[in-house]
Amino acid sequence: MATLFLYSNTNTFSFFFVTLVSLALLILRQPTAAASCTTPPVIFNFGDSNSDTGGLVAGLGYTVGFPNGRLFFRRSTGRLSDGRLLIDFLCQSLNTSLLRPYLDSLGGTRFQNGANFAIVGSSTLPKNVPFSLNIQLMQFSHFKLRSLELASSPNSLKGMFISNDGFKNALYMIDIGQNDIAHSFAKGNSYSQTVKLIPQIISEIKSGIKRLYDEGGRRFWIHNTGPLGCLPQKLSMVKSKDLDQHGCLASYNSAANFFNQGLDHMCEELRTKLRDATIIYIDIYTIKYSLIANSNQYGFKRPLMACCGYGGSPYNYNVNITCGHKGSNVCEEGSRYISWDGIHYIETANAIIAMKVLSMHYSKPPTPFDFFCRR
């Protein structure tokens, strides 16, 4: 399979790569997910920019311009990528519509398939500022209350809103924590100071899961955080670099792993306490780090360089001239990059991550994603 990634011509590489990814996703969707998931689950997502499908733009009017979205959507949708995010691929694997941002009041959506509360820049702490995990959960509670009111109303549109059973059987996805760690380092905190904050971050996520459980949720899908120290943004901004064998910041990745160990332990603890709940922990870190460490196998040429940014080699990232802003440059479509803008991943990388997530090799306990389909 890897040999298909090794063509030197960019257009040839792009054709074979997209074909391979499309075929692989199709295989993963059949016969299990697409065939058996005739009634996809309602999905609610909470998180940061890794899963924001337009919340920042809808909520604050912030401009996320082209070339974001150039590959799949052919326009900017508020996603920080050239195309689809991991969450988009996961939704497509269940044959359901892509999640709309909760704050998006346009387009006539009634959120029948769920809603996305994730917002760019979100963290768990401090907990009472927009758009922390706590605020996202408050938004969800309001959304649920209003939805149930409308679902029980006598008007002819009541069938267009999520019922109590819909909320009970929904899939609740959480992907947050990266910004907490990043913000700590950005403030000048040492490694030891940063890891001391991690129990508080884990506690907030734990409280969030228990809160959703108390609201009736029973199905949870929890992503750990990726290799923070491999992001071109971090590599370009840190002066004293403690690099590992693959050129990533060792201390940043160590902090991410410390967080992930705590998150894994928290999930195990909740499984024993919430016995009627399904709590799946997804090892995103291992998947993403593998893309960096084995980039040649996947056909990626510059694993630590942003496709869209400014500054050129080795990282092509400048905090003052970021992707989409005046002066920035962008690689050609089909180029062999992992990072899109120095922080987020390019669609082709997200497609590989999605395939690995759906393989069940990185989920604990191993669970097919179509398990959450309504039977």
Side-chain angles (χ1 to χ4, degrees), residues 37 47 52 66 117 141 168 181 189 225 228 235 257 261 310 343 352 358:
C37 201
D52 183 351
F66 206 74
F117 296 86
S141 295
K168 180 179 179 181
I181 301 170
N189 287 341
T225 198
L228 186 67
L235 287 161
N257 272 314
Q261 291 168 11
Y310 179 81
I343 305 172
I352 294 176
L358 293 170

Side-chain angles (χ1 to χ4, degrees), residues 178 224-232 234-235 244 248-249 252-254 256-257 260 283-293 304 343 345 353:
Q178 176 175 302
N224 72 11
T225 198
L228 186 67
C230 298
L231 299 180
K234 307 307 176 191
L235 287 161
D244 65 14
C248 302
L249 295 165
Y252 281 53
N253 282 351
S254 180
N257 272 314
N260 292 339
D283 187 5
I284 297 295
Y285 183 98
T286 296
I287 297 173
K288 288 185 173 181
Y289 193 76
S290 175
L291 291 185
I292 306 293
L304 301 177
I343 305 172
Y345 284 49
I353 295 167

Side-chain angles (χ1 to χ4, degrees), residues 25 29 33-34 37 40-45 51 53 79 84-100 113-116 171 173 221 354 358 369 373:
L25 283 175
R29 288 176 61 184
C37 201
V42 171
I43 300 175
F44 296 107
N45 181 69
S51 58
T53 55
R79 290 165 172 81
R84 287 164 289 184
L85 308 178
L86 169 58
I87 191 171
D88 295 317
F89 285 111
L90 293 180
C91 285
Q92 289 182 324
S93 77
L94 295 183
N95 199 29
T96 190
S97 302
L98 305 185
L99 284 188
R100 295 288 297 274
N113 69 317
N116 192 357
L171 171 58
M173 305 176 72
W221 185 267
L358 293 170
F369 197 52
C373 295

